[in-house]
Amino acid sequence: MKVLEVKALSFTYEDGTPALKEIDLTIEEGEKVAVIGPNGAGKSTLLHLVAGFRTPFHGSVRVMEEGLDERTADQVRRHIGLLFQDPDDQIFMPTVEEDVAFGPVNLSLDRVEDRVARALRSTSIEDLAKRKPHRLSHGMKKRVAIAGVLAMEPSLLLLDEPTAGLDPHSRSSLIELLRNMSKTMLIATHDLEAAAEIVDRVVLLNGGVAFDGGLAELMTQDAVLEKAGLEPPQISKLFKRLRGMGYEANILPVTLDQGVAEAVRFADREKGRSRDRKT
Ligand SMILES: Nc1ncnc2c1ncn2[C@@H]1O[C@H](COP(=O)(O)OP(=O)(O)OP(=O)(O)O)[C@@H](O)[C@H]1O
Ligand SMILES: [Mg+2]
């Protein structure tokens, strides 16, 4: 089933700033996709449009096979959980647990307590439940906002820069959480190393859709990377350099695990060579 189908989507802000031009994007159920691109490429705008927060636009957006327009926006929004880039845009209740419960209560969803408990647990913020969210640090607010989105158990998760501003431990646990979550998600991010761990597919916005496919494949397209000002993950850079020295990887690693697997393969090959030389 197509959870999201975007066709020829163009959008210009009221002040005349063009933000999206002729975007096509389809996401099947269970797929995890990252939308990447330089500052101002339109990543946040795309997420807000898909979430039904900005109409009208040119082109078409379908969520769970329902067409999105001014008339249907309220209904379509029920399928979607959007994490805003800035958690201050999302957090407003007096306590963390009330904030996380806000979405489910507002939409009269069932099992509110259970949803809140699960969301607090999966974002590891159970101990913050009674705290005032506006007094928390940026990273903690981010986790509260993520918990609020998860509590809605949406069909489509839209996450705008989920790892930005998190400390290394929180970032790793969020990556782990998103990687293990069997949910359809679209993540806007600059964090390619996180994207490599979480998603199977990346969509690069730079003008229109400049690339749609695997991150490893994108990392080999130097001209596209340069035009979009993208830096490959460190591990990909390492293997690009090694390739220049005659070590050709099967695929260009984009995660540490893939890098380790390739390094072991290189080492085994070297061992084989030295054995051959001895015999
Ligand atoms: N409320 C607004 N009014 C007018 N222009 C806007 C508004 N919000 C965004 N824009 C413009 O739309 C374009 C796309 O912005 P958007 O925030 O979607 O980019 P982005 O890819 O999310 O960037 P970043 O990586 O900095 O988060 C930019 O030119 C931006 O200046
Ligand atoms: Mg943005």
Side-chain angles (χ1 to χ4, degrees):
M1 178 183 179
K2 290 185 177 71
V3 171
L4 177 67
E5 194 174 22
V6 170
K7 284 192 184 155
L9 177 64
S10 297
F11 181 75
T12 300
Y13 281 99
E14 302 77 21
D15 66 358
T17 310
L20 292 173
K21 204 174 145 222
E22 297 278 323
I23 304 296
D24 291 307
L25 172 64
T26 299
I27 301 183
E28 299 284 342
E29 191 169 0
E31 247 189 316
K32 295 178 182 174
V33 178
V35 53
I36 61 175
N39 293 133
K43 304 179 295 295
S44 296
T45 305
L46 175 65
L47 265 50
H48 294 181
L49 255 67
V50 168
F53 287 108
R54 283 193 185 271
T55 50
F57 45 75
H58 288 284
S60 71
V61 176
R62 293 176 72 77
V63 179
M64 302 296 283
E65 307 194 329
E66 250 180 285
L68 169 67
D69 57 35
E70 274 143 272
R71 214 171 23 83
T72 60
D74 280 346
Q75 177 56 31
V76 170
R77 264 204 293 270
R78 299 176 78 93
H79 300 304
I80 284 173
L82 169 65
L83 176 78
F84 285 87
Q85 187 161 352
D86 183 351
D88 284 320
D89 290 341
Q90 198 143 19
I91 283 172
F92 44 87
M93 295 299 279
T95 67
V96 166
E97 62 186 357
E98 285 171 279
D99 207 276
V100 175
F102 178 82
V105 168
N106 195 36
L107 291 178
S108 311
L109 302 180
D110 58 357
R111 307 178 284 108
V112 172
E113 265 178 43
D114 176 43
R115 286 166 184 268
V116 172
R118 285 168 57 147
L120 294 177
R121 202 176 328 123
S122 59
T123 47
S124 313
I125 54 167
E126 293 123 307
D127 54 332
L128 302 182
K130 306 286 178 197
R131 296 274 298 273
K132 294 183 175 67
H134 58 278
R135 295 273 170 79
L136 297 174
S137 74
H138 177 82
M140 287 165 155
K141 283 181 187 171
K142 197 114 193 174
R143 286 153 78 175
V144 173
I146 292 168
V149 171
L150 294 181
M152 316 261 286
E153 298 176 2
S155 304
L156 174 61
L157 260 180
L158 302 172
L159 306 171
D160 201 348
E161 307 285 354
T163 58
L166 297 186
D167 65 34
H169 179 75
S170 310
R171 178 177 170 277
S172 309
S173 54
L174 179 64
I175 289 172
E176 194 65 18
L177 171 72
L178 296 177
R179 188 179 36 201
N180 294 329
M181 200 182 274
S182 51
K183 253 207 187 302
T184 314
M185 56 180 86
L186 179 61
I187 307 176
T189 188
H190 289 284
D191 187 346
L192 292 187
E193 305 203 345
E197 299 285 349
I198 302 167
V199 306
D200 325 302
R201 181 178 149 209
V202 294
V203 171
L204 168 62
L205 294 188
N206 194 24
V209 173
F211 178 87
D212 184 342
L215 188 59
E217 191 198 331
L218 174 60
M219 290 307 128
T220 62
Q221 301 197 2
D222 292 336
V224 179
L225 292 179
E226 182 154 347
K227 200 159 168 234
L230 287 175
E231 280 269 328
Q234 291 288 351
I235 196 80
S236 311
K237 285 194 198 164
L238 170 67
F239 278 85
K240 278 185 177 210
R241 282 217 204 156
L242 286 172
R243 189 171 53 196
M245 296 159 66
Y247 290 90
E248 190 73 51
N250 281 347
I251 55 145
L252 184 66
V254 290
T255 66
L256 193 59
D257 285 347
Q258 291 168 358
V260 169
E262 281 300 325
V264 167
R265 212 172 58 80
F266 288 170
D268 285 347
R269 202 176 64 188
E270 288 301 321
K271 270 190 223 154
R273 276 193 192 146
S274 68
R275 249 197 319 272
D276 290 346
R277 274 198 297 272
K278 280 187 199 134
T279 54

